Amino acid sequence: MNALLVKDEALRIEALNQYEVLNSAPDPILDDLTNLAAQICDTPVAAISLIGSDRIWLRSRFGIDSPDVALGSLPCETTILGDTVYEIFDARSDPEYAPDGILLEGRLYRYYAGAPLTTPGGVTIGALLVLDRHPRTLTPAQSSALSVLSRQVITRLELNGRIRQMDRAARSRQRVESALTVERNFVSAVLDTVGALVAVFDPAGRIVRFNRACENASGYDFPTLVGRYAWDKLIPRQEIPEAIETFERLRSGHFPAAYENQWLNRDGSIRRIAWSATALTDTQGQVAFIIATGIDVTTQRAAEATLRESEARYRQLVEGSLGMVCTHDLRGTLLSINTHGAETLGRTVEEMTGHNLDEFIVPEKKATLPAYLKK
């Protein structure tokens, strides 16, 4: 074959592979078109032939059973070189098939007509053919009808190809959606089992995700709050301006950030939440979501406040005492002493702290200090 024929064959094989028609399941529509070709042309045999690299595949058949034949067995290879119906009026007189005619399944045929099957891309992949055992010719109407049917064959192949592409795309989409569902379920399970509060907001400040810990801390379930601003229900009225200002800083790129605020529980109680927030950005660097993780520190902050209050009362008690109240380490170094105790010795608190007890004990009693410290 010359270079042009080699190129044509490569394009034809590529088109056949795209249509996925070789060795595919029977298509009732193609069979109907083949039967109709035989009826219109009044022939005992009709077929849709597709020319492969080493065989002629008979994709649809009427009057014969063979699914394929050897190259050269039928004039299809000559048919695809033109763009109109190709006829052999009497194969016994044709140079390629004389003196017997066209042999197929043990029977000889003398008449052949084939309309080329040309794709929208201009590649001819085979022919819609009819065979008869007697010399003859097609009428103009029959020839025109054969051409029309050949175009319908291509339309059907194109449609089948589109359907397969859509099916593959749908299956691929289903696989992706299934994978995303599994991933979402996994993430949801993880978020709902962690002890920390996790909330996700869109750039406007609306809630898009809310885990179980948030539900417990707020008293609201996720469906009730999704799509709403956090300050609609969760932030006490007096703290709403500060909450909005904090969110604006996050949205403006000041992240990650740590802050605390109060949440108003549905039952009216107040919870103190310590938050750590960051942002997810899109490909343009714009904030797409803000993710905040928090810890309920209500009990901790209450304990700290109680401790501070207790320490203040203790200091007030010590300072108000009319005796000497002091602390020291195990070597006898003074760590603290109340003001009255220092003044009793004629000194200030600063003059005594950091000094050892033996500096302030009368000489005759210093010998008792080691035993006291040991005890």
Side-chain angles (χ1 to χ4, degrees):
M1 293 185 291
N2 60 35
L4 182 60
L5 291 180
V6 171
K7 180 181 179 181
D8 288 344
E9 180 181 9
L11 293 174
R12 185 172 65 253
I13 299 304
E14 180 182 358
L16 290 173
N17 290 335
Q18 290 177 349
Y19 282 137
E20 300 179 23
V21 288
L22 302 181
N23 297 319
S24 58
D27 184 344
I29 302 300
L30 293 180
D31 291 340
D32 287 345
L33 293 174
T34 302
N35 294 348
L36 186 57
Q39 292 177 24
I40 292 174
C41 296
D42 192 22
T43 58
V45 173
I48 295 173
S49 68
L50 303 171
I51 303 176
S53 57
D54 57 354
R55 305 289 291 172
I56 297 177
W57 299 88
L58 301 178
R59 180 64 180 82
S60 177
R61 304 169 296 279
F62 175 81
I64 54 175
D65 297 320
S66 299
D68 60 89
V69 295
L71 292 173
S73 300
L74 294 169
C76 303
E77 294 164 84
T78 304
T79 303
I80 65 173
L81 298 179
D83 54 9
T84 59
V85 173
Y86 175 71
E87 288 183 278
I88 298 179
F89 305 112
D90 188 352
R92 290 182 178 180
S93 302
D94 186 85
E96 294 289 333
Y97 298 98
D100 299 318
I102 300 171
L103 179 62
L104 184 62
E105 293 185 343
R107 291 190 293 271
L108 291 171
Y109 297 89
R110 299 180 65 178
Y111 177 74
Y112 168 90
L117 301 175
T118 304
T119 70
V123 179
T124 305
I125 59 175
L128 174 59
L129 65 94
V130 294
L131 293 170
D132 203 339
R133 305 189 70 177
H134 308 285
R136 54 169 293 182
T137 185
L138 295 181
T139 66
Q142 290 173 327
S143 180
S144 176
L146 193 63
S147 295
V148 171
L149 292 176
S150 71
R151 292 193 292 271
Q152 291 304 309
V153 170
I154 290 295
T155 299
R156 180 61 181 177
L157 295 180
E158 286 282 324
L159 177 61
N160 288 344
R162 297 290 186 274
I163 292 174
R164 282 191 294 271
Q165 290 176 1
M166 293 172 62
D167 286 344
R168 281 194 290 267
R171 287 194 295 270
S172 177
R173 185 169 59 252
Q174 289 173 353
R175 287 194 296 270
V176 172
E177 290 174 352
S178 177
L180 288 175
T181 299
V182 171
E183 184 175 352
R184 282 195 297 268
N185 291 341
F186 174 76
V187 172
S188 296
V190 171
L191 292 181
D192 285 339
T193 54
V194 297
L197 286 74
V198 181
V200 182
F201 305 90
D202 67 12
R206 291 181 289 262
I207 296 171
V208 297
R209 188 70 179 88
F210 204 67
N211 74 338
R212 188 70 53 78
C214 288
E215 292 180 334
N216 294 336
S218 67
Y220 293 96
D221 58 13
F222 173 63
T224 301
L225 296 180
V226 62
R228 307 190 67 165
Y229 297 100
W231 41 84
D232 283 349
K233 293 286 187 180
L234 302 177
I235 306 298
R237 184 179 299 275
Q238 67 275 14
E239 294 191 12
I240 289 177
E242 182 181 353
I244 295 176
E245 182 181 350
T246 299
F247 187 84
E248 288 295 332
R249 286 199 302 270
L250 290 169
R251 187 169 60 180
S252 300
H254 294 81
F255 53 81
Y259 60 95
E260 289 189 16
N261 63 11
Q262 294 191 116
W263 266 21
L264 180 62
N265 192 282
R266 191 171 190 173
D267 63 10
S269 62
I270 298 294
R271 310 301 299 176
R272 188 75 183 178
I273 312 296
W275 294 100
S276 177
T278 189
L280 289 179
T281 57
D282 57 23
T283 55
Q284 284 74 41
Q286 300 297 314
V287 173
F289 297 100
I290 292 175
I291 302 177
T293 58
I295 300 175
D296 188 337
V297 294
T298 306
T299 303
Q300 179 183 341
R301 295 294 180 264
E304 292 172 353
T306 300
L307 180 60
R308 286 194 298 270
E309 183 180 351
S310 176
E311 289 176 344
R313 288 198 301 267
Y314 172 76
R315 283 193 298 271
Q316 184 178 8
L317 177 64
V318 169
E319 287 299 322
S321 175
L322 296 180
M324 179 183 289
V325 182
C326 67
T327 61
H328 61 78
D329 64 17
L330 296 183
R331 293 187 297 274
T333 301
L334 279 169
L335 302 176
S336 68
I337 187 169
N338 64 336
T339 301
H340 182 78
E343 290 176 349
T344 300
L345 299 180
R347 293 176 172 83
T348 65
V349 173
E350 291 75 15
E351 289 174 339
M352 294 190 67
T353 54
H355 295 267
N356 199 277
L357 286 174
D358 65 0
E359 298 181 29
F360 311 109
I361 299 178
V362 294
E364 59 269 21
K365 293 292 184 180
K366 286 186 178 183
T368 64
L369 182 61
Y372 161 72
L373 293 176
K374 182 178 180 180
K375 182 178 180 180

